[in-house]
Amino acid sequence: MTLTPPDVVRSAYAQLVVTDLARARWFWVDMLGFHLQYEDDSLLCLRGTDELTHHSLVLRKGGTAALDHLSYRVRTSEDVDRAEAYFTALGRPVRRVAKGAGTPGVGDAVRVIDPLGFPVEFFHDIERAERLIQRYDLRRGAEIARLDHFNICTPDIPAAYAHYEALGFGCSETIEGDEHELYAAWMYRKQTVHDVAFTGGAGPRLHHVGVATHESHQVLRTADLFGSLRQEHHIERGPGRHGVSNAFYLYLRDPDGHRVEIYTSDYYTGDPDHETYRWNVHDDRRRDFWGNAVIESWYKEASPVLDLDGRPVPVTESVLDESAVQVGADGLGIVEPAKQGD
Ligand SMILES: O=S(=O)(O)c1ccc(O)c(O)c1
Ligand SMILES: [Ca+2]
Ligand SMILES: [Fe+2]
């Protein structure tokens, strides 16, 4: 019996657990410029200047910083049922979350632990929000426009690729070894470079949430804002130009260590015959087009994830380690990576 996957429209929101809601509010609202759509003493629902639905980021107060769940919007409410049937047939943990019982603003949803171990929600109905696209008077800080993508750490990149390919995601770019072993992949449903990408490493862990600005000067201004306020320790990597995606980027760590990428100017991928662009792991322009090194914490550190009952999901160590490949720009380690299956 062929399983019909849900029709995923886009990566829609990430729900993060933060230990200090006030500090998180400062980082994500005051500094990054997310708009507050909903707030109570344990939860903030945030959205970017362009976003017309209730939120694209949810911060929930809790004891340990973690990813509560990733969430994809599906095309119809029938696709929520399809998601439930699809992951049930895969033998995965599945839980229906009725409107009002889950995240504020979100309608009937299903939450699963996917084959990679990640807590993932699929929903269709979500409250619409006031159009702020041209309220320039309300813009602040980095002036974040919208959520762009999730990047997840997983030990088996080919398995991640196969799972998302089965969900109908296209592949825009990869990083591959000389024998075409897969180190990283960028996959999409919306017509840009990615909704989700995979970084090799112990997982399941959340590597980062990618949020988009309209202009590269807003990426630069973000770095200047943190520098001006003596908060430069939140800057982890960049500003720079990516090889993969061609986007201009800056990586920050929030007060709990959650990584966020400020990202702009990637490209269109919507034609049916769009071809995957493949980078070699020895090309030191792949992650920074100007050949700047990738700081080791970027490869090694990430946020733990929770199961459907809020317990941390144990991680499995990685099969391949890109940072162990001797690449001029990275300069991390000189040991050749263990070949897959060693
Ligand atoms: O560093 S990479 O050029 O591989 C890269 C490309 C796009 C992204 O969104 C990212 O986080 C990292
Ligand atoms: Ca720094
Ligand atoms: Fe990214």
Side-chain angles (χ1 to χ4, degrees):
M1 180 188 101
T2 50
L3 269 177
T4 308
D7 180 351
V8 172
V9 174
R10 62 180 171 94
S11 45
Y13 76 90
Q15 182 154 317
L16 304 178
V17 179
V18 295
T19 56
D20 180 335
L21 208 52
R23 285 292 295 157
R25 193 184 196 281
W26 164 79
F27 181 88
W28 295 94
V29 175
D30 299 348
M31 295 297 285
L32 266 55
F34 275 90
H35 295 293
L36 256 181
Q37 187 66 19
Y38 171 88
E39 180 175 19
D40 66 28
D41 58 7
S42 66
L43 196 95
L44 303 180
C45 293
L46 310 179
R47 66 183 169 112
T49 57
D50 288 8
E51 293 177 306
L52 302 171
T53 54
H54 192 265
H55 57 261
S56 61
L57 182 74
V58 178
L59 305 174
R60 171 171 73 77
K61 180 164 172 42
T64 310
L67 169 70
D68 185 290
H69 61 275
L70 299 174
S71 190
Y72 292 100
R73 189 171 195 190
V74 294
R75 196 166 302 280
T76 68
S77 48
E78 289 73 29
D79 283 300
V80 179
D81 301 329
R82 282 191 196 98
E84 183 177 18
Y86 185 83
F87 286 94
T88 300
L90 290 182
R92 304 303 306 165
V94 171
R95 186 168 300 170
R96 202 80 191 208
V97 181
K99 178 181 168 68
T103 302
V106 178
D108 179 34
V110 64
R111 288 188 191 167
V112 307
I113 298 297
D114 75 9
L116 312 176
F118 285 87
V120 183
E121 178 185 80
F122 299 87
F123 73 90
H124 173 69
D125 291 324
I126 183 168
E127 278 179 30
R128 302 196 67 73
E130 181 193 3
R131 187 177 188 274
L132 298 179
I133 292 175
Q134 292 174 308
R135 290 299 308 272
Y136 289 89
D137 56 314
L138 300 180
R139 295 191 178 192
R140 257 187 331 271
E143 302 187 3
I144 298 303
R146 58 178 175 78
L147 169 78
D148 186 77
H149 60 268
F150 309 132
N151 188 303
I152 58 176
C153 282
T154 185
D156 189 343
I157 302 286
Y161 182 95
H163 170 58
Y164 274 95
E165 187 182 41
L167 283 175
F169 283 62
C171 181
S172 54
E173 300 200 31
T174 62
I175 295 176
E176 303 177 17
D178 295 334
E179 316 300 322
H180 300 296
E181 57 277 34
L182 198 56
Y183 280 89
W186 285 256
M187 301 187 81
Y188 62 90
R189 287 292 290 177
K190 71 178 182 298
Q191 301 185 350
T192 60
V193 166
H194 56 319
D195 289 284
V196 67
F198 319 124
T199 299
R205 293 183 299 161
L206 174 68
H207 189 273
H208 66 267
V209 175
V211 294
T213 60
H214 284 282
E215 311 280 349
S216 49
H217 69 75
Q218 290 160 325
V219 178
L220 290 167
R221 174 168 161 74
T222 307
D224 285 337
L225 288 174
F226 279 91
S228 305
L229 298 174
R230 295 306 317 266
Q231 299 294 324
E232 74 282 358
H233 53 280
H234 288 280
I235 298 171
E236 181 190 45
R237 177 184 165 205
R241 169 75 62 195
H242 280 317
V244 173
S245 81
N246 193 42
F248 197 72
Y249 72 88
L250 171 71
Y251 289 93
L252 304 169
R253 307 295 289 273
D254 87 341
D256 281 290
H258 294 305
R259 183 179 291 107
V260 55
E261 179 185 19
I262 319 297
Y263 174 98
T264 193
S265 316
D266 64 357
Y267 56 85
Y268 168 74
T269 59
D271 280 13
D273 58 351
H274 185 82
E275 273 193 24
T276 301
Y277 188 78
R278 301 177 189 281
W279 291 82
N280 183 284
V281 72
H282 294 281
D283 184 336
D284 60 19
R285 300 167 307 152
R286 71 194 186 288
R287 289 201 178 273
D288 183 281
F289 196 54
W290 308 327
N292 290 321
V294 176
I295 186 169
E296 187 157 8
S297 62
W298 191 91
Y299 278 120
K300 302 295 186 193
E301 296 172 12
S303 303
V305 309
L306 304 180
D307 68 15
L308 299 182
D309 295 313
R311 294 179 303 239
V313 175
V315 299
T316 306
E317 288 307 316
S318 181
V319 176
L320 278 180
D321 178 357
E322 180 186 338
S323 67
V325 177
Q326 171 53 46
V327 180
D330 292 345
L332 299 174
I334 51 172
V335 177
E336 277 303 305
K339 291 273 182 291
Q340 269 175 307
D342 277 8

